[in-house]
């Protein structure tokens, strides 16, 4: 009996080790590639515009991608399970307006309560997505495309054509983005805390590792007892939570908020996730890679401004980056898989 049990465990352990090794190799290759691309951009632009490497400009790049990185962290978990959340921009926009408008109507409200309120809104909207996809088993791309329009429509209905400006909210709200702690803008620290927390979650917790298993092989994950639907629901819930947080920070950073806030953010988020090396078919990728992807996109955006090139190029570049990343991802994945298979056969 013990021999049989040992024989059963050994293949499973071996398979798991090989899978982890494969994911690790693919992630390292992608991240090194991203660093090379980032270095190339920095060299080219700094030659043309020497002030590109100034501390003020580097800080502006990090500020510009801080909210993007927070939302992308949540999207990463969703994509790891072979799903996608296209409603993130609408959730951020709706939360931003509700948070700013609440402070406009009740200026004495504690900002920490507004942060909590925003997170609750995000959780509720994320739960709706999670129920439709995880429990109702509706394809995520269809479900979240629908909620993208529903949530944005709700935003327009609540806003009613109005907007909230910086003069109508208390300074304590704007301070969420402008306050410096040890010389570092609070917005960057918010993003860093989210990135580190969720990187730890994916790397060091059982649930985090199970997300990779679901994306790598859903049938095998089901056979070993992983409750995929429950975990998929959890990823949408966490994605909504981070969108709620990002919405409040969006309102604090940009001050003027209306029903169009964060429009198009979903494209940037998906671009950061895919360019950052998360396999669009699930199962591999890291928060570090996604952060690098966001930094690359933010650096390109900043470079276009400094080089005085049209910002209309930005969406074209984002789209091209997605296509290039998916193509390279498929190529690298197949190449490494063949190498590992050849090594096993030896």
């Amino acid at each position: 009996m013990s021999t049989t049990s040992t024989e059963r465990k050994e293949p499973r352990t071996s398979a798991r080790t090989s899978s982890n090794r494969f994911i690790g190799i693919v992630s390292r290759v992608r991240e090194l590639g991203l660093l090379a691309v980032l270095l190339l951009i920095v060299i080219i632009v700094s030659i043309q515009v020497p002030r590109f490497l100034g501390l003020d400009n580097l800080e502006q790049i990090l500020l510009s991608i801080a909210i993007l990185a927070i939302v992308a962290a949540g999207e990463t978990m969703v994509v790891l399970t072979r799903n996608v959340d296209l409603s993130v921009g609408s959730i951020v926009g709706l939360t931003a307006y509700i948070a700013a408008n609440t402070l406009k109507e009740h200026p004495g409200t504690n900002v920490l309560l507004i942060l909590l309120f925003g997170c609750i809104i995000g959780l509720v909207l994320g739960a709706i997505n999670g129920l439709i996809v995880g429990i109702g088993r509706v394809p995520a791309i269809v479900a979240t495309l629908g909620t993208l329009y529903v949530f944005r429509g709700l935003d327009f209905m609540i806003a009613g054509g109005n907007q909230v400006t910086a003069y109508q909210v208390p300074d304590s709200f704007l301070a969420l983005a402008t306050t410096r702690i040890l010389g570092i803008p609070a917005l960057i620290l918010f993003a860093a805390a989210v990135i580190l927390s969720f990187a730890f979650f994916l790397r060091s917790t059982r649930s985090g590792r199970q997300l990779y298993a679901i994306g790598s092989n859903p049938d095998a994950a089901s056979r070993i007892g992983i409750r995929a639907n429950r975990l998929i629901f959890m990823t949408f819930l966490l994605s909504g939570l981070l969108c709620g947080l990002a919405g409040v920070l969006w309102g604090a950073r940009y001050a003027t908020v209306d029903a169009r806030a964060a429009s198009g953010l979903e494209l940037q988020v998906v671009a950061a996730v895919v360019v950052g090396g998360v396999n669009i078919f699930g199962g591999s990728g890291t928060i570090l890679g996604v952060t690098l992807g966001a930094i690359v996109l933010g650096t390109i955006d900043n470079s276009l401004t400094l080089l005085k090139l049209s910002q209309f190029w930005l969406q074209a570049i984002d789209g091209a980056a997605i296509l290039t990343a998916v193509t390279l991802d498929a190529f690298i994945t197949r190449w490494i898989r063949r190498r590992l298979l050849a090594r096993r056969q030896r």
Side-chain angles (χ1 to χ4, degrees):
M1 180 71 74
S2 60
T3 305
T4 305
S5 177
T6 303
E7 288 173 352
R8 284 178 182 169
K9 287 180 181 177
E10 284 178 356
R12 184 179 296 177
T13 303
S14 176
R16 188 177 300 165
T17 302
S18 298
S19 176
N20 290 340
R21 187 183 305 149
F22 172 71
I23 291 171
I25 293 172
V26 172
S27 297
R28 281 194 294 273
V29 169
R30 291 167 178 154
E31 288 160 12
L32 288 173
L34 272 175
L35 283 173
V37 169
L38 182 60
L39 181 60
L40 182 62
I41 294 171
V42 168
I43 291 172
I44 292 173
V45 179
S46 60
I47 291 173
Q48 300 291 323
V49 187
R51 64 190 177 91
F52 174 77
L53 290 177
L55 287 178
D56 288 342
N57 189 59
L58 295 178
E59 182 180 290
Q60 283 305 310
I61 292 175
L62 292 179
L63 282 171
S64 71
I65 62 100
I67 292 173
L68 173 63
I70 291 172
V71 180
E75 186 76 61
T76 298
M77 292 182 292
V78 174
V79 176
L80 283 175
T81 63
R82 295 192 178 189
N83 291 290
V84 67
D85 186 353
L86 298 178
S87 69
V88 290
S90 298
I91 297 177
V92 171
L94 178 57
T95 307
Y97 184 82
I98 291 176
N101 191 58
T102 300
L103 282 170
K104 172 187 172 182
E105 300 294 335
H106 309 281
T109 306
N110 190 297
V111 173
L112 292 180
L113 287 178
I114 290 296
L115 267 175
L116 179 60
F117 183 43
C119 290
I120 291 173
I121 294 172
L123 276 173
V124 171
L125 301 180
I128 292 172
N129 284 333
L131 286 171
I132 297 172
V133 178
I135 309 302
R137 300 191 179 184
V138 176
I141 193 169
V142 176
T144 59
L145 183 61
T147 54
L148 179 156
Y149 289 109
V150 171
F151 298 156
R152 184 63 67 179
L154 183 61
D155 196 359
F156 274 97
M157 187 177 71
I158 294 172
N162 299 317
Q163 68 176 17
V164 181
T165 66
Y167 301 104
Q168 297 172 308
V169 294
D171 291 339
S172 57
F173 178 57
L174 303 178
L176 285 174
T178 58
T179 297
R180 289 177 176 269
I181 301 174
L182 299 177
I184 303 172
L187 191 58
I188 295 175
L189 294 177
F190 270 116
V194 168
I195 289 165
L196 292 174
S197 299
F198 281 85
F200 174 81
F201 170 75
L202 287 177
R203 184 181 179 86
S204 304
T205 68
R206 183 180 178 184
S207 295
R209 292 191 295 271
Q210 286 177 340
L211 296 183
Y212 286 101
I214 293 170
S216 298
N217 193 327
D219 294 332
S222 178
R223 282 197 294 270
I224 62 175
I226 295 176
R227 297 182 177 181
N229 291 340
R230 180 179 294 181
L231 285 173
I232 289 171
F233 174 80
M234 180 196 73
T235 61
F236 279 99
L237 201 65
L238 291 175
S239 178
L241 170 67
L242 292 182
C243 286
L245 171 64
V248 177
L249 296 177
W250 178 286
R253 172 164 169 72
Y254 296 103
T256 300
V257 184
D258 58 21
R260 295 169 297 176
S263 293
L265 180 65
E266 54 278 343
L267 174 63
Q268 297 173 1
V269 170
V270 172
V273 170
V274 176
V275 171
V278 178
N279 192 324
I280 196 65
F281 301 109
S284 66
T286 65
I287 295 290
L288 172 61
V290 170
T291 305
L292 285 173
I295 292 173
V296 168
L297 294 177
T299 303
I300 292 173
D301 186 14
N302 181 264
S303 301
L304 291 176
T305 301
L306 292 179
L307 294 173
K308 298 180 180 178
L309 299 175
S310 173
Q311 287 294 306
F312 288 109
W313 280 102
L314 185 59
Q315 287 191 349
I317 290 171
D318 285 347
I322 292 174
L323 290 173
T324 303
V326 171
T327 303
L328 286 175
D329 182 73
F331 173 78
I332 292 171
T333 301
R334 284 198 299 268
W335 180 75
I336 294 177
R337 206 170 256 147
R338 284 198 298 268
R339 292 293 300 269
L340 288 175
L341 183 61
R343 186 178 298 176
R344 273 189 219 144
Q345 289 174 346
R346 289 175 195 166

